[in-house]
Amino acid sequence: MDAPGAEEFFKEHTERFEEETGIRVEYDFVGWGEAQETMLSDIVSRSGPDVHEIASTWIPEQYNADGWLDLESDDVAEHVPDTGMFADGALEVATFQDTLVGIPWFWGPRAYQQIDEEIESGGIDGSPDNWDDLLQQAEQYSGDNDYFAIMGADFEPIRNFAMFLWQNGGQLLTDDDSAPAFHEEAGVEALQFYADLYAEYDVLPSETVEWGAADIQGAFAGRQMASTWGALGTVGAYADEGDHSMDDLSITAPPAGPDGERGTFFGMELLGIHPWTDEPEAAAQWIEYLLRAEPNAEISNTVGFLPTNPDGLDTEYFDHDLYRAFDEEVFPHAQTYPQVLGWGEIEGELNNVVFDVIQNAVTGDLEDGDVESALHDAAKVAEQTL
């Protein structure tokens, strides 16, 4: 983790934790780009920190390399937080092959977000319920800015594709996670719709194909578009801009596809203990401290996510109805990636394929049959990987 504000958080709370327990915590930050390689190197060499942040999609590879202590083992079970407070979806991600590999730390779904004043001044009433509404509202919108925009850079293409796929009733892998399913009819339709939002319907601005998180947050905060979908970071960026207020915004689940689903992506980070630690009890106590309502709410707010401890929503950090909307109206539609060995390779390949399709749509180089062909090529890679 290297988010702005994290350094101040850990400085304050390691001091508080030491005052309370006598246990001294040293901490370090690793950038997201180096995190996966650094963690795997630590696991192979049996070195590195006692406690580590875990990205949920990396769990299978790291578990197979004996990277995580079972948090239900006798060494730590009585010292880690009570797992009864976590939502079922969080525990499903935290448990791999019947092993509790991590404690859910913070999470957040992507919601459809709009600036009500901009939407209304553009002649639109309410947010889109489905894909047809999205197209119709985009056509009717008469504002001076763009109606809708989403990120297109980094690993956003596959996340957006996954959302369109789920909304269209499809899935990334088969039910038993043994084979790809994203190249079937629902996936082809979903990716074609994604591409058509650029090429045919002129809903998504062409420049957004290169946008990352900072770009979309800056554009939304600057009211360059009236709506987007994203996690809490976008809301926070808007609220931090000048005299903007979260009261300006409305939050709903993303528009439903033809299948009637309003699927959206959620990410979750966890805290785990490496099995070579000499201090399992102290490590577990540190995790328990970080999962208390106030620290959990503070760090979640700092990084732009929701706390996994439900009591964190009752703190000053989440004192707004908008957070309840994320939790109560959006989360029920949220899904995440399959937890299978090799998903990292599949994710990278599929992300590249989707980006190429979208880029070709923007440049006018996407031809009939290209979407289906691209997804079938990615499926061959997925089959070999699985």
Side-chain angles (χ1 to χ4, degrees):
M1 174 196 295
D2 55 356
E7 176 75 34
E8 292 80 2
F9 171 85
F10 280 102
K11 183 178 186 303
E12 175 185 352
H13 286 281
T14 52
E15 292 174 357
R16 288 188 184 184
F17 181 68
E18 184 174 2
E19 289 175 4
E20 177 183 321
T21 65
I23 299 170
R24 184 166 180 261
V25 175
E26 296 180 355
Y27 58 90
D28 195 13
F29 298 98
V30 178
W32 184 251
E34 305 89 48
Q36 186 173 15
E37 183 177 344
T38 299
M39 290 176 70
L40 194 57
S41 176
D42 286 347
I43 290 169
V44 170
S45 63
R46 321 306 280 173
S47 61
D50 301 291
V51 176
H52 212 300
E53 179 180 359
I54 308 175
S56 58
T57 55
W58 300 345
I59 287 175
E61 179 183 37
Q62 294 170 352
Y63 175 87
N64 277 18
D66 191 27
W68 301 111
L69 183 69
D70 182 355
L71 299 184
E72 294 179 315
S73 65
D74 293 340
D75 289 338
V76 296
E78 66 179 282
H79 301 290
V80 296
D82 179 7
T83 57
M85 70 177 171
F86 301 118
D88 290 343
L91 284 180
E92 287 175 8
V93 174
T95 304
F96 185 73
Q97 295 189 4
D98 298 323
T99 301
L100 183 65
V101 299
I103 295 296
W105 194 14
F106 47 79
W107 64 345
R110 299 186 172 214
Y112 191 90
Q113 309 172 16
Q114 67 179 37
I115 306 169
D116 292 335
E117 184 179 33
E118 296 293 329
I119 288 290
E120 291 166 5
S121 65
I124 303 300
D125 181 22
S127 56
D129 289 329
N130 52 51
W131 289 2
D132 288 341
D133 282 352
L134 181 70
L135 299 180
Q136 183 178 9
Q137 289 190 4
E139 185 176 359
Q140 293 175 346
Y141 186 69
S142 60
D144 295 330
N145 53 10
D146 292 312
Y147 166 69
F148 179 61
I150 54 179
M151 290 180 277
D154 303 323
F155 273 80
E156 294 308 313
I158 184 179
R159 293 183 185 128
N160 292 328
F161 168 62
M163 290 173 62
F164 287 123
L165 173 68
W166 294 329
Q167 290 160 17
N168 200 36
Q171 50 193 44
L172 290 161
L173 301 183
T174 55
D175 289 338
D176 61 359
D177 291 337
S178 66
F182 56 76
H183 62 305
E184 296 173 357
E185 183 178 2
V188 174
E189 291 175 352
L191 184 51
Q192 187 67 60
F193 180 73
Y194 184 11
D196 286 344
L197 289 177
Y198 288 101
E200 181 175 345
Y201 305 121
D202 198 27
V203 173
L204 292 176
S206 60
E207 66 269 19
T208 61
V209 76
E210 301 288 349
W211 279 12
D215 301 303
I216 199 77
Q217 290 176 6
F220 193 61
R223 293 194 172 197
Q224 294 176 34
M225 72 279 200
S227 63
T228 185
W229 66 34
L232 273 172
T234 314
V235 171
Y238 181 87
D240 291 341
E241 181 75 15
D243 59 354
H244 291 174
S245 166
M246 288 196 295
D247 293 337
D248 301 342
L249 307 178
S250 289
I251 297 296
T252 63
D259 194 60
E261 300 292 334
R262 305 191 73 161
T264 190
F265 177 83
F266 83 83
M268 187 175 80
E269 299 295 291
L270 308 94
L271 291 171
I273 300 174
H274 289 307
W276 57 81
T277 179
D278 294 325
E279 301 289 346
E281 183 176 323
Q285 287 179 268
W286 174 232
I287 292 177
E288 186 278 329
Y289 175 88
L290 290 174
L291 265 295
R292 295 177 189 175
E294 286 286 335
N296 187 214
E298 184 179 347
I299 189 61
S300 300
N301 180 262
T302 298
V303 299
F305 281 77
L306 293 171
T308 52
N309 183 337
D311 291 339
L313 289 171
D314 295 326
T315 65
E316 62 177 317
Y317 302 101
F318 294 94
D319 185 22
H320 197 282
D321 289 342
L322 221 58
Y323 298 117
R324 296 290 177 185
F326 268 94
D327 188 54
E328 297 172 4
E329 297 179 25
V330 183
F331 250 131
H333 304 280
Q335 303 183 51
T336 194
Y337 293 144
Q339 287 182 293
V340 295
L341 193 62
W343 176 255
E345 290 82 356
I346 298 170
E347 180 183 6
E349 176 66 20
L350 190 52
N351 189 68
N352 291 336
V353 164
V354 172
F355 179 75
D356 287 344
V357 167
I358 299 308
Q359 195 168 48
N360 287 338
V362 168
T363 58
D365 296 323
L366 190 68
E367 299 180 358
D368 290 345
D370 284 356
V371 168
E372 183 173 8
S373 177
L375 287 179
H376 275 269
D377 288 344
K380 292 176 183 177
V381 175
E383 287 169 354
Q384 294 171 351
T385 303
L386 291 171

